[in-house]
Amino acid sequence: MASLRYESQVRGALVTGEKTYHDVTEDIVRPIEMKPSRLWKIGFTISVLLLLFGVYSVYREVAYGIGEWNLNKTIGWGWDITNFVWWVGIGHAGTLISAILLLFRQGWRTGVNRAAEAMTIFAVMCAGQFPIFHMGRVWMAFFVLPYPNSRGPLWVNFNSPLLWDVFAISTYFTVSLLFWYSGLLPDLATVRDRAREKWRKHMYGVLAFGWTGSTKHWQRHEALSLVLAGLSTPLVLSVHTIVSFDFATSVIPGWHTTIFPPYFVAGAIFSGFAMVQTLLIITRKVLSLEEYITMEHIEVMNKVIVLTGSIVGIAYITELFISWYGQNPYEMAAFKNRYDLSTPYAWSYWLMMSCNVIAPQFFWFKKLRRNLLFTFFMSIIVNVGMWFERFVIIVTSIYRDYIPSSWSTYYAPTIWEVGFYLGTFGLFFTCFFLFAKYFPVIAIAEIKHILKKNGESFKEKMVEEESASVEKFAHEHAHH
């Protein structure tokens, strides 16, 4: 028993039930080896249909031009860039869980990190499409890359935050993909070794890159994880900071605020964790993984949501205060357009306030933090609120500019703008369903790693050890 590592008894177990190493493999690999369930088929079909509607919406926009969207001379960025910022934010929790919590050695990340990392990759794939199609002439998209060209002195503008975005998002995508895939290798090898059908053995064999589980492989795997975690940590902060520079470096009242970078980062982690909750509460039910994604995990994530939601709340109030304190008439007008109930968009501002600032405060109560239905409901509310935050920042700052004659009438998206947004949901969930069916949703190797100190049965043994008298303990371990 002396081999047990001490772990505080105050913390709940991260793996419930009497689990052995074999049980862990069985439970997590079983959904991959079984035929897809009816629920999975229904979900997958809906996702693919949404994706097809999205593809048609994009076709309309590319074939007939940006006029298919309801953008006008005052509102040049509407739903499109709102959705871009929203999707980039969704991806942030994955990197935070996998990188920062790995460096801080947080045991609870193991149950949720695989799904969150996959979510990051799919969300960035969705986000990247919006700026590309917003160009209108999408076949010119390669112009954003600074490659040596035959166009004489025609180069990209390195002073533009939109170019920084290109670098930030592509780096983010690459590092996240490496992180996710390198973590998958040991688990893919497990699936390969258990496979009965020839095609399955071959497919997972190719994907596993010849992983044998030798000490050398594990050593390299651990080293790579640490290096990638070190690279991803600044990315968590820099990517959304650069996205916020799209607004903060402009001179438009309501946009050029120095508080944007930290507040966008907090908002990104806030919406990212909410999306992780939405997906994992469904996944644990459908794939019956309740013993690995426990109430403990859900409660910890709710605590992160309270913290980041409160930071976002402070940022909103700071913005309002500074607009009044600075006494700049244009800045004050930009904020009056938001909060004054007589303006056309006040409803979106107050909806954002109630979803992002007031709603998460319910999570101060432990009963609600550990209530599944309430958490699921709240995770959706938070993401609705975060979508409206981006909408409020983008639309309310520009729909009334300096010349009243060019004030925009009420901006509402066309069916093709909404279709494009729904299409990215289709892409996201199509990818997620395929991932959940053909890859282990939970990192098997990492769960086994924490089983000895955080598994329920092992914790109970630890309690016995603690309650035993010192003499008895000394007597038992005298021979060691």
Side-chain angles (χ1 to χ4, degrees):
M1 289 303 297
S3 61
L4 280 173
R5 191 186 130 183
Y6 179 70
E7 171 80 7
S8 161
Q9 296 313 311
V10 180
R11 291 185 184 164
L14 292 176
V15 181
T16 54
E18 299 276 325
K19 293 291 176 201
T20 61
Y21 287 145
H22 178 64
D23 295 336
V24 173
T25 312
E26 279 293 326
D27 292 345
I28 299 173
V29 181
R30 195 183 305 119
I32 302 174
E33 294 173 342
M34 280 165 35
K35 286 218 166 12
S37 62
R38 189 154 160 262
L39 268 175
W40 186 89
K41 285 177 180 161
I42 294 168
F44 186 68
T45 311
I46 294 169
S47 303
V48 172
L49 290 173
L50 272 179
L51 176 58
L52 291 173
F53 180 49
V55 169
Y56 181 68
S57 305
V58 170
Y59 157 74
R60 291 280 304 208
E61 184 266 329
V62 172
Y64 299 104
I66 290 279
E68 289 292 291
W69 293 349
N70 238 349
L71 302 177
N72 50 45
K73 64 181 179 219
T74 322
I75 299 180
W77 286 4
W79 261 55
D80 186 80
I81 301 296
T82 304
N83 299 336
F84 160 68
V85 182
W86 187 78
W87 274 119
V88 174
I90 293 284
H92 264 59
T95 331
L96 178 100
I97 290 173
S98 51
I100 295 181
L101 298 182
L102 174 80
L103 295 178
F104 284 117
R105 296 276 182 256
Q106 291 293 313
W108 64 269
R109 61 180 276 286
T110 48
V112 295
N113 67 341
R114 175 67 50 74
E117 285 166 26
M119 202 185 83
T120 298
I121 294 162
F122 307 148
V124 175
M125 277 160 51
C126 294
Q129 295 174 44
F130 287 101
I132 291 173
F133 286 107
H134 192 275
M135 291 174 188
R137 295 190 176 132
V138 74
W139 48 92
M140 300 288 196
F142 66 92
F143 273 32
V144 299
L145 302 170
Y147 65 96
N149 57 61
S150 56
R151 293 190 292 273
L154 187 63
W155 276 86
V156 287
N157 178 9
F158 284 102
N159 291 333
S160 164
L162 297 174
L163 182 71
W164 310 340
D165 258 353
V166 173
F167 288 112
I169 304 257
S170 51
T171 312
Y172 188 48
F173 180 71
T174 316
V175 173
S176 302
L177 191 65
L178 283 172
F179 210 91
W180 176 69
Y181 197 78
S182 62
L184 266 170
L185 290 176
D187 295 356
L188 291 173
T190 304
V191 181
R192 171 200 66 197
D193 295 343
R194 289 170 53 101
R196 302 240 169 84
E197 302 94 336
K198 202 168 178 191
W199 68 269
R200 190 185 281 271
K201 212 169 191 56
H202 184 71
M203 182 178 90
Y204 288 106
V206 170
L207 290 173
F209 286 168
W211 175 277
T212 58
S214 66
T215 316
K216 197 74 193 156
H217 282 183
W218 276 111
Q219 183 202 345
R220 287 185 179 147
H221 181 264
E222 296 281 318
L224 179 69
S225 299
L226 275 178
V227 170
L228 285 174
L231 284 173
S232 314
T233 304
L235 273 179
V236 175
L237 304 171
S238 70
V239 173
H240 227 64
T241 298
I242 289 176
V243 169
S244 79
F245 284 167
D246 292 351
F247 308 103
T249 53
S250 70
V251 291
I252 293 175
W255 277 8
H256 82 139
T257 359
T258 46
I259 198 175
F260 268 13
Y263 132 48
F264 267 53
V265 170
I269 293 166
F270 181 52
S271 63
F273 268 92
M275 194 66 158
V276 173
Q277 296 277 46
T278 311
L279 288 178
L280 286 184
I281 288 174
I282 298 173
T283 308
R284 75 195 280 272
K285 187 87 194 98
V286 174
L287 301 180
S288 51
L289 294 170
E290 287 92 347
E291 290 166 323
Y292 300 97
I293 302 167
T294 60
M295 283 318 295
E296 201 62 30
H297 290 96
I298 287 165
E299 187 184 2
V300 172
M301 289 197 284
N302 283 337
K303 287 177 182 172
V304 177
I305 288 175
V306 173
L307 171 70
T308 46
S310 307
I311 294 173
V312 168
I314 289 170
Y316 292 159
I317 296 160
T318 308
E319 269 191 318
L320 277 176
F321 171 74
I322 294 294
S323 74
W324 165 80
Y325 186 70
Q327 289 294 306
N328 176 333
Y330 297 108
E331 194 79 19
M332 289 165 83
F335 281 91
K336 192 168 188 301
N337 275 340
R338 293 179 189 177
Y339 66 77
D340 184 355
L341 288 168
S342 61
T343 58
Y345 286 109
W347 60 272
S348 62
Y349 180 79
W350 290 108
L351 185 68
M352 162 194 99
M353 274 297 208
S354 44
C355 290
N356 290 350
V357 185
I358 300 162
Q361 303 307 325
F362 285 113
F363 281 145
W364 287 105
F365 303 105
K366 186 164 183 167
K367 261 222 173 82
L368 294 176
R369 275 204 305 269
R370 295 182 79 92
N371 181 327
L372 266 184
L373 266 175
F374 183 74
T375 301
F376 184 68
F377 172 69
M378 280 300 303
S379 68
I380 291 167
I381 291 289
V382 162
N383 264 323
V384 168
M386 283 314 288
W387 190 90
F388 273 102
E389 180 209 284
R390 278 62 181 245
F391 180 80
V392 164
I393 288 172
I394 291 169
V395 176
T396 60
S397 302
I398 53 179
Y399 80 108
R400 292 182 172 176
D401 61 9
Y402 298 101
I403 312 169
S405 61
S406 72
W407 280 10
S408 167
T409 45
Y410 193 74
Y411 163 75
T414 62
I415 181 74
W416 308 122
E417 275 174 278
V418 180
F420 188 8
Y421 182 45
L422 292 177
T424 50
F425 268 107
L427 174 67
F428 182 83
F429 283 107
T430 302
C431 290
F432 195 82
F433 276 117
L434 287 171
F435 157 72
K437 179 69 196 82
Y438 293 104
F439 292 96
V441 178
I442 294 174
I444 307 172
E446 298 200 17
I447 286 286
K448 289 178 179 176
H449 187 69
I450 61 157
L451 191 64
K452 274 282 200 297
K453 57 176 202 270
N454 296 78
E456 194 172 29
S457 47
F458 293 98
K459 280 206 144 209
E460 283 163 8
K461 286 179 193 164
M462 198 74 226
V463 175
E464 287 166 29
E465 289 270 298
E466 278 191 335
S467 53
S469 66
V470 183
E471 290 80 14
K472 187 178 170 224
F473 186 84
H475 176 70
E476 273 182 15
H477 296 279
H479 60 277
H480 279 298

